[in-house]
């Protein structure tokens, strides 16, 4: 039996005060009537020269899909002269989630959880890192081509106790546990 967190998610979106109607509309469309089994919401300000811009990311887990909704605010531009928001949503079938990577940063002295990074991969986006290849001869000046790696990098969210609060970091870890359980085929 999946616990329904849909109302709690929409309440938190509303309490955030960040374009709650716009974020909720994008979220409703992406959820398509499914219940929310788990979620994490991240509202973050960014600094752009002399202006503060905000954006919000919502991750929601349904019984069958991972939902990502991201809303940004933008200044007016050539296409839209007034300030505007853009909301992007993506729905990924749980069967397509290939990896759930969790990194915890804990201080050595106090063993205090300071940050957590959640990276989710489903094969949609890859990052290529290349560097000049080298041989073991330090005097060699030959061109050995390039070496590198390709890494899945579909989505990452990092939360810090100092900026987001310890409870937010714990919620991110709880969401990661719920997602890991869902992708393993067992209920959390």
């Amino acid at each position: 039996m999946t616990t329904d967190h849909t109302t709690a998610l929409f309440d938190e979106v509303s309490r955030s005060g960040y374009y709650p109607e716009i974020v909720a509309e994008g979220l409703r469309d992406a959820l398509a009537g499914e219940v929310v089994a788990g979620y994490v919401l991240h509202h973050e300000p960014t600094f752009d020269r002399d202006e503060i811009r905000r954006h919000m990311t919502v991750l929601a887990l349904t019984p069958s899909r991972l939902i990502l909704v991201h809303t940004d605010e933008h200044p007016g531009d050539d296409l839209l002269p007034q300030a505007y928001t853009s909301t992007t949503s993506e729905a990924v079938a749980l069967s397509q989630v290939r990896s759930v990577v969790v990194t915890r940063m804990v201080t050595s002295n106090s063993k205090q959880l300071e940050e957590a990074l959640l990276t989710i991969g489903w094969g949609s986006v890859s990052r290529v890192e290349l560097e000049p290849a080298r041989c073991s001869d330090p005097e060699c000046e030959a061109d050995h081509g390039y070496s590198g790696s390709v890494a899945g990098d579909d989505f990452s969210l990092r939360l810090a106790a100092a900026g987001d609060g310890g409870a937010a970091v714990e919620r991110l870890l709880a969401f990661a546990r719920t997602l890991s359980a869902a992708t393993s085929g067992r209920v959390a």
Side-chain angles (χ1 to χ4, degrees):
M1 176 76 184
T2 301
T3 303
D4 186 354
H5 297 281
T6 307
T7 300
L9 171 56
F10 282 96
D11 287 348
E12 193 167 334
V13 166
S14 181
R15 278 192 310 275
S16 79
Y18 178 76
Y19 301 104
E21 298 85 13
I22 293 169
V23 173
E25 183 177 354
L27 195 51
R28 261 192 301 279
D29 289 347
L31 287 170
E34 283 192 280
V35 299
V36 175
Y39 72 91
V40 65
L41 183 145
H42 184 236
H43 180 203
E44 178 180 32
T46 57
F47 300 93
D48 183 15
R49 292 183 214 132
D50 58 344
E51 294 181 282
I52 296 176
R53 300 215 189 291
R54 301 174 298 160
H55 62 105
M56 180 180 287
T57 302
V58 179
L59 297 175
L61 182 63
T62 74
S64 67
R65 298 176 302 144
L66 171 65
I67 306 295
L68 295 93
V69 176
H70 184 83
T71 302
D72 284 304
E73 60 185 359
H74 307 275
D77 55 30
D78 293 340
L79 194 56
L80 294 170
Q82 295 181 1
Y84 63 96
T85 63
S86 63
T87 299
T88 303
S89 62
E90 184 169 4
V92 180
L94 288 178
S95 62
Q96 297 300 308
V97 175
R98 295 181 183 170
S99 64
V100 178
V101 181
V102 178
T103 305
R104 293 172 176 82
M105 284 63 92
V106 177
T107 57
S108 299
N109 296 341
S110 68
K111 307 293 189 243
Q112 178 71 34
L113 176 66
E114 295 296 332
E115 295 184 16
L117 171 65
L118 170 63
T119 302
I120 307 166
W122 55 91
S124 179
V125 177
S126 294
R127 179 185 61 229
V128 177
E129 293 184 11
L130 296 174
E131 62 183 35
R134 295 180 177 85
C135 69
S136 59
D137 179 1
E139 302 297 319
C140 181
E141 294 183 19
D143 183 353
H144 294 285
Y146 289 88
S147 66
S149 63
V150 177
D153 196 18
D154 291 308
F155 179 80
S156 291
L157 180 59
R158 184 178 196 148
L159 297 181
D164 303 297
V169 176
E170 291 295 340
R171 281 194 305 273
L172 180 63
L173 293 174
F175 180 82
R177 283 189 294 275
T178 302
L179 178 59
S180 288
T183 58
S184 74
R186 66 175 188 80
V187 178

